[in-house]
Amino acid sequence: NPANLSNLSGSSFLIGSTMFYEQENLNYQFAALSFKLDNRNIMAVTVQKLGINASGYSSELSSETSISFSQGFHLRKDRNSNFSIGYNLNYFMLNQGSSAGTVGDGSNGIPGKSMYSFGLDLGFIASLRDKVHLGVFVKNVNSPRIGRGSNAQFLPRRLNIGCSYHPTKTLKTNFVYEKLIYSDTNQFRFGVEYEFHKYFILRTGVQMKPNRLGFGFLSPINENMFCAYGLITHPILPLTHSIEFGLNF
């Protein structure tokens, strides 16, 4: 949720990678830089890429890249509550490799091509006494599509509504409702974060439709650096692994 940028106290840099379903040829990487403009506004730039490779093939079969510019700021803030709004401006790139063709070596295949699109996301966060937080996030508000003519595809639009309750400084509980717009499927997620020690924070959660279990941890290396690891199960496929490194400055 880009509205959460307004709650950052300084600048930060974050990089991470995800291996989906323990498949080495299906990887996701991202890098994000956030910086404070003034006491009310914080900007962020994020680059994400999902690529599919095949052994023995020199270039990617396909890749999806997005570059996002985000901003979050407070509309209202006092000692007891605050209300923030944020947005993402996204530039999407889809690259498709050439086909193998009838020969199988690509000599008479269909050449690869690239497609582009733009998207807009909106987010809102309200909090009370830093204990109760309510957020709303809408993905692809402008209904972007990628491709042309009969091959054009609308990118999915998604609605997230979340609530977080922090009964103590060491315990955080989260609940999220997610729905793809124009879909009949509703997804629910519940997570808990508990600080066992200042150098070890445990994270775990469950998800419905499909039923999945997540587990991970965050470990601050010092006051300015941290690393995090997480995994999530799947009813049929193998585990998905994620790792992140962050720097605050």
Side-chain angles (χ1 to χ4, degrees):
N1 192 325
N4 197 45
L5 287 172
S6 61
N7 296 318
L8 298 180
S9 58
S11 302
S12 64
F13 177 70
L14 183 66
I15 59 174
S17 178
T18 299
M19 179 186 290
F20 288 101
Y21 313 120
E22 299 183 345
Q23 302 298 309
E24 295 183 357
N25 61 339
L26 182 59
N27 283 294
Y28 164 79
Q29 298 92 24
F30 75 91
L33 173 66
S34 62
F35 47 93
K36 198 169 186 177
L37 298 177
D38 51 45
N39 292 330
R40 292 178 55 88
N41 299 284
I42 292 183
M43 297 285 294
V45 180
T46 306
V47 179
Q48 306 175 73
K49 182 178 180 180
L50 173 65
I52 302 176
N53 301 300
S55 58
Y57 193 69
S58 59
S59 59
E60 290 180 323
L61 299 180
S62 69
S63 66
E64 302 173 21
T65 305
S66 71
I67 302 174
S68 303
F69 296 90
S70 309
Q71 182 180 15
F73 49 90
H74 293 291
L75 292 181
R76 175 183 174 84
K77 183 178 182 180
D78 54 38
R79 296 180 60 183
N80 297 317
S81 63
N82 69 70
F83 179 69
S84 305
I85 186 173
Y87 64 86
N88 297 326
L89 295 177
N90 306 308
Y91 176 60
F92 303 111
M93 295 174 285
L94 173 62
N95 298 310
Q96 295 179 331
S98 58
S99 67
T102 57
V103 178
D105 59 1
S107 58
N108 65 340
I110 300 174
K113 60 180 179 180
S114 300
M115 293 171 282
Y116 311 92
S117 186
F118 293 90
L120 172 66
D121 311 330
L122 292 177
F124 307 88
I125 292 181
S127 64
L128 178 64
R129 297 184 180 274
D130 285 332
K131 283 187 172 292
V132 180
H133 303 260
L134 178 64
V136 177
F137 175 70
V138 184
K139 180 72 174 177
N140 292 327
V141 175
N142 61 325
S143 297
R145 63 179 182 177
I146 198 164
R148 295 181 178 179
S150 60
N151 294 323
Q153 297 289 328
F154 283 96
L155 299 180
R157 301 173 65 195
R158 187 178 76 241
L159 170 67
N160 292 80
I161 302 175
C163 180
S164 179
Y165 175 56
H166 306 170
T168 66
K169 292 183 178 181
T170 59
L171 178 63
K172 299 178 181 179
T173 59
N174 305 281
F175 174 80
V176 177
Y177 163 80
E178 180 176 302
K179 180 180 178 64
L180 287 175
I181 299 176
Y182 306 123
S183 172
D184 296 330
T185 302
N186 299 313
Q187 189 178 92
F188 302 94
R189 301 174 183 174
F190 177 76
V192 176
E193 180 179 296
Y194 184 74
E195 183 179 341
F196 280 97
H197 188 271
K198 67 177 182 178
Y199 292 120
F200 184 79
I201 300 173
L202 177 68
R203 294 171 170 174
T204 186
V206 295
Q207 171 186 304
M208 298 175 60
K209 294 185 179 180
N211 296 333
R212 307 178 73 178
L213 173 65
F215 171 83
F217 65 87
L218 183 146
S219 179
I221 301 173
N222 53 42
E223 293 182 356
N224 299 319
M225 299 177 63
F226 69 87
C227 65
Y229 168 79
L231 63 83
I232 186 169
T233 64
H234 191 276
I236 301 174
L237 300 174
L239 297 174
T240 293
H241 303 269
S242 300
I243 188 168
E244 298 178 5
F245 294 94
L247 173 65
N248 301 317
F249 55 92

